[in-house]
């Protein structure tokens, strides 16, 4: 009897599992009413309304059905590709940027995945800058707007490779594991002693640090190029997009200074790294000597411009001079010189920089009969 009841409960459990699986697969396909609501929310959000309110409305609708985010991405892409005027192209891109910032980490991860698969695209469409306008002033205004749209598109492409961590700060997305093993030819190294394991951990940590610094510099470069001019400062969408970029640049610069301080603490140990990593460190410091003055000037222009966001707390930019960058890289340059000497000598460096000669002098001592000592000479 117990065996019979056990079979019955097993059969009921199997049926319930099957029903649950079917229900979950069905729920992943959004119904037409939900898709229509998402389409209407996109229309309101890109039509110049209250962006924040409509962005949260879209996030709420998408959260009710996991499969809806794919529909959302494709509809935004279609709207962007159909745009011909700069403002019409800018609003879908601005919507993507707002969704990245407002969504939770799962939504952000899914959106980045759809961007990687090209279901979501933020490429700036082709636009005839002056063909739809008459007059030199209108042509210049439209040309400036097109330039801003294209620059913002490039910024978004780079921004897609960043995530918002639990502290609310921006950080580069983690790379695949195989990219951290380029020194071993892409193979996972076998277990080793504690000393070699410690060295490997040090190399991996430094590589991640250099990657983070390089990513920060790339995003800051793109932000600096987006400062609106007189031709684009009148666009509400452009000012809104630039305001987001400006606030994000503060976070990125904070991440850069934190990483730079960490690299300076490791400056004495950089000489023990591989030559490509030392070259990367040198390039980062060299670029910092030119980028930090540009960033400081960029923030000064933003403060003076009436088009930039007001009431923001700007970071204090620390200038890295060329002399400081060269001084930081002295241990690395010495290590590079030692490597070149080793390679030119077949891999075995002579421990002595010049030939050393030793002269041996022999002193003869003769004894007289009265036990006196008399030195006769040396040879």
């Amino acid at each position: 009897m117990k065996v019979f009841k056990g079979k019955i409960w097993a059969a009921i459990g199997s049926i319930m599992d099957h029903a649950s699986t079917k229900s979950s697969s069905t729920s992943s396909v959004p119904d037409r009413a939900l898709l229509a609501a998402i389409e209407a929310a996109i229309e309101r959000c890109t039509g110049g309304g209250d962006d924040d309110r409509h962005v949260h409305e879209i996030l709420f609708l998408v959260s009710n059905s996991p499969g809806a985010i794919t529909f959302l991405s494709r509809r935004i892409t279609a709207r962007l590709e159909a745009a011909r005027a700069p403002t019409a192209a800018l609003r879908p891109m601005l919507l993507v940027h707002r969704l990245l910032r407002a969504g939770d980490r799962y939504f952000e991860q899914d959106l980045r995945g759809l961007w990687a698969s090209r279901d979501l695209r933020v490429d700036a469409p082709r636009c005839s800058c002056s063909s739809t306008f008459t007059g030199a002033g209108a042509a210049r205004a439209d040309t400036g707007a097109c330039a801003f749209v294209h620059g913002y598109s490039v910024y978004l492409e780079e921004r897609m490779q960043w995530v918002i961590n639990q502290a609310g700060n921006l950080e580069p997305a983690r790379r695949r594991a195989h990219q951290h093993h380029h020194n071993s030819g892409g193979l996972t190294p076998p277990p080793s002693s504690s000393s070699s394991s410690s060295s490997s951990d040090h190399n991996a940590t430094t590589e991640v640090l250099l990657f983070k610094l390089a990513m920060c510099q790339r995003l800051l470069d793109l932000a600096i190029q987006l400062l609106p001019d007189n031709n684009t400062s009148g666009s509400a969408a452009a000012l809104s997009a630039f305001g987001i970029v400006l606030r994000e640049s503060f976070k990125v610069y904070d991440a850069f200074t934190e990483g730079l301080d960490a690299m300076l603490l490791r400056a004495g140990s950089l000489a023990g790294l591989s030559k490509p990593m030392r070259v990367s460190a040198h390039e980062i410091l060299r670029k910092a000597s030119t980028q930090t003055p540009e960033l400081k000037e960029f923030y000064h222009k933003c403060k003076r411009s009436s088009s930039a966001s007001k009431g923001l707390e700007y970071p204090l930019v620390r200038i890295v001079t060329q002399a400081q960058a060269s001084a930081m890289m002295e241990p690395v340059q010495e290590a590079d010189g030692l490597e070149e000497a080793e390679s030119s000598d077949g891999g075995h460096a002579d421990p002595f920089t010049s030939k050393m000669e030793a002269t041996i002098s022999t002193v003869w001592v003769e004894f007289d009969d009265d036990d006196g000592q008399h030195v006769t000479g040396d040879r």
Side-chain angles (χ1 to χ4, degrees):
M1 188 65 179
K2 291 182 179 181
V3 175
F4 180 72
K5 288 183 178 180
K7 290 182 178 180
I8 292 177
W9 285 114
I12 293 175
S14 177
I15 294 174
M16 293 178 65
D17 290 341
H18 178 72
S20 176
T21 303
K22 183 178 180 181
S23 175
S24 62
S25 62
T26 303
S27 63
S28 63
V29 180
D31 57 20
R32 293 184 179 181
L34 180 60
L35 297 182
I38 294 174
E39 179 74 27
I42 295 174
E43 175 67 28
R44 288 190 293 270
C45 198
T46 56
D50 186 358
D51 291 335
D52 288 336
R53 180 169 58 85
H54 297 316
V55 165
H56 291 293
E57 179 186 2
I58 291 175
L59 290 173
F60 174 76
L61 292 171
V62 173
S63 65
N64 291 331
S65 178
I69 190 173
T70 303
F71 174 80
L72 169 68
S73 300
R74 291 174 178 174
R75 294 312 300 159
I76 293 176
T77 300
R79 188 170 292 268
L80 176 61
E81 291 177 343
R84 291 297 176 263
T87 302
L90 182 59
R91 290 193 178 280
M93 290 190 286
L94 180 58
L95 173 57
V96 173
H97 205 169
R98 289 180 177 274
L99 289 171
L100 274 176
R101 293 170 56 84
D104 58 23
R105 60 176 181 170
Y106 299 106
F107 176 87
E108 181 188 24
Q109 182 178 358
D110 291 341
L111 200 64
R112 290 177 58 246
L114 290 167
W115 169 77
S117 66
R118 302 294 291 172
D119 285 296
L120 173 67
R121 293 190 292 275
V122 292
D123 312 76
R126 295 181 179 179
C127 57
S128 53
C129 293
S130 59
S131 61
T132 57
F133 293 90
T134 59
R140 285 195 300 270
D142 201 37
T143 301
C146 282
F148 183 86
V149 169
H150 281 80
Y152 187 54
S153 172
V154 176
Y155 179 89
L156 272 185
E157 292 280 356
E158 189 70 22
R159 174 63 175 81
M160 281 290 184
Q161 303 176 53
W162 289 69
V163 297
I164 300 177
N165 58 26
Q166 294 181 350
N169 297 322
L170 283 171
E171 65 179 20
R174 295 180 181 179
R175 295 180 294 173
R176 293 186 178 93
H178 73 276
Q179 292 179 323
H180 295 287
H181 299 294
H182 63 86
N183 292 333
S184 58
L187 301 177
T188 303
S192 57
S193 62
S194 58
S195 59
S196 60
S197 177
S198 176
S199 176
S200 176
D201 293 342
H202 169 70
N203 289 343
T205 302
T206 305
E207 184 180 8
V208 172
L209 177 60
L210 295 176
F211 170 73
K212 175 182 178 181
L213 288 172
M215 290 285 287
C216 288
Q217 289 180 325
R218 286 167 56 183
L219 200 61
L220 287 173
D221 265 347
L222 296 175
I224 291 173
Q225 297 171 16
L226 278 178
L227 181 65
D229 56 14
N230 294 330
N231 296 324
T232 56
S233 59
S235 170
L239 292 181
S240 181
F242 179 72
I244 297 176
V245 171
L246 183 60
R247 291 191 295 272
E248 287 187 343
S249 73
F250 299 164
K251 300 285 188 180
V252 176
Y253 179 69
D254 288 342
F256 175 76
T257 53
E258 179 184 350
L260 185 63
D261 290 339
M263 188 176 75
L264 295 182
L265 291 176
R266 296 172 176 269
S269 59
L270 289 179
L273 301 175
S274 64
K275 188 171 183 179
M277 294 177 67
R278 296 198 301 271
V279 170
S280 297
H282 180 269
E283 288 297 318
I284 288 170
L285 289 173
R286 182 189 62 80
K287 184 174 179 61
S289 65
T290 59
Q291 188 184 59
T292 49
E294 293 176 355
L295 185 64
K296 184 176 182 179
E297 179 64 21
F298 168 70
Y299 286 151
H300 279 316
K301 290 180 179 179
C302 291
K303 292 177 183 178
R304 294 194 301 264
S305 174
S306 59
S307 61
S309 299
K310 299 297 184 179
L312 297 178
E313 185 177 353
Y314 287 80
L316 180 62
V317 179
R318 187 175 62 192
I319 302 297
V320 178
T321 65
Q322 294 183 356
Q324 291 172 337
S326 300
M328 296 171 191
M329 292 308 299
E330 282 182 358
V332 177
Q333 294 169 351
E334 292 176 359
D336 290 340
L338 180 60
E339 274 194 0
E340 292 176 359
E342 291 177 351
S343 59
S344 64
D345 194 43
H348 300 284
D350 192 346
F352 303 104
T353 57
S354 61
K355 184 177 180 180
M356 298 180 64
E357 296 182 356
T359 302
I360 302 177
S361 298
T362 305
V363 179
W364 293 88
V365 181
E366 296 181 357
F367 293 90
D368 296 333
D369 294 339
D370 58 355
D371 293 336
Q373 295 183 2
H374 177 68
V375 179
T376 59
D378 61 341
R379 298 180 184 176

